Amino acid sequence: MNIAVSDWVQGQTISGEFIFGYVEQVDLEQGVVKVYVVKSDNEDSAGRIALGKAHHFRKQAEWSPDEEDIRSLIDLALAAQDQAWFMELSGQLNDTVEGDSKARKWLWNNNGSRLSTYI
């Protein structure tokens, strides 16, 4: 499986950290990838670039970011001063929060359980 720039990947860095992030650069000759770290087993690595051998990473299937992930990406968009990306992520965050609110409201109105209608 080929890894390309902008792919979301998970794997192990050269220093042995387990990370999740997206590929910023691929060096085919050396077999090395630069990954922007979104999550890591080393909390200090989040938000930084990490190097790893391409064969130590696997491409992630469809990824749906949760509220925490979207907030982290918004921080990244602000740091990159990318207004269009910031606006897109802000819309996603609003949709996510609104969806959670609707689910909580439904649970409240239905006594917290679908089984309550049978009791």
Side-chain angles (χ1 to χ4, degrees):
M1 178 183 306
N2 291 333
I3 294 177
V5 171
S6 80
D7 284 345
W8 286 94
V9 294
Q10 157 179 329
Q12 187 174 12
T13 66
I14 291 172
S15 61
E17 297 174 79
F18 291 98
I19 64 169
F20 173 77
Y22 62 88
V23 177
E24 287 207 337
Q25 187 176 7
V26 178
D27 182 342
L28 296 175
E29 197 172 292
Q30 298 290 323
V32 175
V33 293
K34 283 186 181 178
V35 178
Y36 181 86
V37 180
V38 175
K39 290 187 180 179
S40 173
D41 60 349
N42 176 3
E43 293 177 11
D44 294 336
S45 293
R48 297 186 178 172
I49 301 295
L51 294 175
K53 293 287 187 180
H55 66 274
H56 287 170
F57 286 89
R58 64 183 168 136
K59 208 163 139 175
Q60 294 298 291
E62 290 296 316
W63 176 64
S64 297
D66 60 18
E67 182 178 346
E68 179 185 343
D69 295 329
I70 294 171
R71 289 184 188 281
S72 294
L73 291 170
I74 285 174
D75 290 342
L76 179 61
L78 288 170
Q81 298 180 350
D82 188 332
Q83 184 178 7
W85 191 26
F86 171 80
M87 296 305 292
E88 177 186 340
L89 291 167
S90 295
Q92 285 181 2
L93 180 61
N94 288 337
D95 292 346
T96 301
V97 171
E98 185 177 299
D100 288 347
S101 177
K102 285 180 182 176
R104 282 192 296 272
K105 186 180 280 186
W106 182 89
L107 282 172
W108 178 260
N109 291 335
N110 291 286
N111 299 320
S113 171
R114 289 183 288 164
L115 295 176
S116 65
T117 58
Y118 300 105
I119 296 176

